[in-house]
């Protein structure tokens, strides 16, 4: 799948790749080689979580140095983070949950965004607000594939990126669901592999993840 050119926003996060790597960057110096390995392995959409002080620098460096990457920000929970992520060069936003204040800020950014949901009521509330693409989190703890399958009948217009407890053993099961566009996971970027600077292994894990594609 060809990613959009770096200057353009991602049209839909769900359609960029079957798997979106969820990356926690402890050292900004690791950001570019990790991103290059993931892109080389066929996974251009990369979610850098705002869980560490290095996150914004990582997004900035990936945006500047890895033209094949579509870098986004995860764990976005406040409007000021939306502004900071946009300034750093993020091209999509992902939140573990949402409020109307956060939703307004994400919408105003002009970037694609995936607000997090874990209940039917949250899904319906977002549909009322014109949002059809969402993060389902924490996927396994919130009911997994059985829950998502049950939502497909009454709420077919909602599409999801399940994240949380997803790995190579169950990714294909999620991707087979009609209302799942992609899944998020961190198994392509093990912390010990980053510490060892084994970029080749990360590329291999990313390439293996592309086989979960169902279309």
């Amino acid at each position: 799948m060809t990613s959009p050119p770096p200057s353009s926003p991602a049209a839909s996060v769900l359609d960029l790749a079957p798997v979106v790597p969820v990356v926690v960057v402890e050292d900004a110096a690791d950001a570019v080689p990790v991103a290059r390995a993931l892109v080389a392995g066929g996974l251009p959409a990369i979610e850098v979580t705002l869980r560490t002080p290095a996150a914004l620098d990582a997004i900035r460096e990936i945006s500047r140095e890895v033209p094949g990457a579509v870098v986004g920000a995860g764990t976005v929970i406040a409007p000021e983070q939306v502004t900071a992520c946009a300034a750093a060069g993020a091209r999509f936003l992902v939140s573990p949950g949402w409020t109307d204040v956060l939703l307004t800020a994400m919408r105003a950014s002009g970037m694609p965004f995936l607000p997090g949901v874990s209940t039917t009521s949250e899904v319906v509330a977002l549909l009322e607000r014109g949002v059809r693409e969402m993060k389902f989190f924490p996927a396994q703890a919130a009911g997994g594939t059985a829950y998502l399958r049950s939502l497909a009948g009454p709420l077919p217009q909602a599409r999801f990126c399940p994240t949380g407890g997803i790995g190579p053993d169950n990714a294909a099961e999620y991707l087979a669901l009609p209302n799942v566009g992609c899944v998020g996971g961190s198994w392509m970027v093990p912390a010990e592999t980053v510490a060892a600077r084994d970029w080749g292994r990360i590329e291999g894990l990313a390439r293996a993840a592309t086989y979960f594609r169902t279309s």
Side-chain angles (χ1 to χ4, degrees):
M1 180 180 295
T2 301
S3 63
S7 59
S8 68
S12 170
V13 180
L14 300 185
D15 297 326
L16 288 172
V19 178
V20 176
V22 178
V23 181
V24 179
V25 179
E26 300 289 348
D27 184 343
D30 295 330
V32 167
V34 166
R36 285 175 174 160
L38 291 170
V39 171
L43 299 181
I46 302 169
E47 176 189 336
V48 176
T49 69
L50 301 183
R51 301 180 192 176
T52 69
L56 287 174
D57 285 338
I59 291 170
R60 188 175 293 109
E61 290 303 309
I62 293 170
S63 177
R64 289 174 178 171
E65 302 295 334
V66 191
V70 182
V71 62
T75 323
V76 177
I77 59 173
E80 57 268 26
Q81 290 179 320
V82 173
T83 303
C85 291
R91 293 171 58 192
F92 65 89
L93 304 168
V94 183
S95 68
W98 67 277
T99 66
D100 278 318
V101 172
L102 181 58
L103 194 66
T104 296
M106 291 193 293
R107 199 192 299 270
S109 75
M111 286 183 278
F113 57 91
L114 296 175
V117 297
S118 60
T119 69
T120 306
S121 294
E122 290 171 320
V123 175
V124 171
L126 283 177
L127 291 174
E128 285 183 349
R129 290 159 174 78
V131 178
R132 297 189 174 190
E133 298 187 347
M134 313 167 194
K135 172 180 179 174
F136 181 59
F137 175 83
Q140 282 291 93
T145 55
Y147 193 95
L148 286 171
R149 189 178 295 110
S150 70
L151 291 180
L155 302 171
Q157 63 272 55
R159 297 179 69 214
F160 301 95
C161 174
T163 306
I166 297 177
D169 293 336
N170 59 5
E173 184 180 356
Y174 278 93
L175 288 165
L177 298 175
N179 54 352
V180 169
C182 64
V183 299
S186 59
W187 76 90
M188 295 76 61
V189 192
E192 67 275 11
T193 302
V194 175
R197 306 296 194 268
D198 190 350
W199 315 129
R201 183 178 180 221
I202 292 174
E203 180 179 340
L205 291 169
R207 184 170 291 109
T210 65
Y211 290 103
F212 293 122
R213 191 186 310 275
T214 59
S215 62

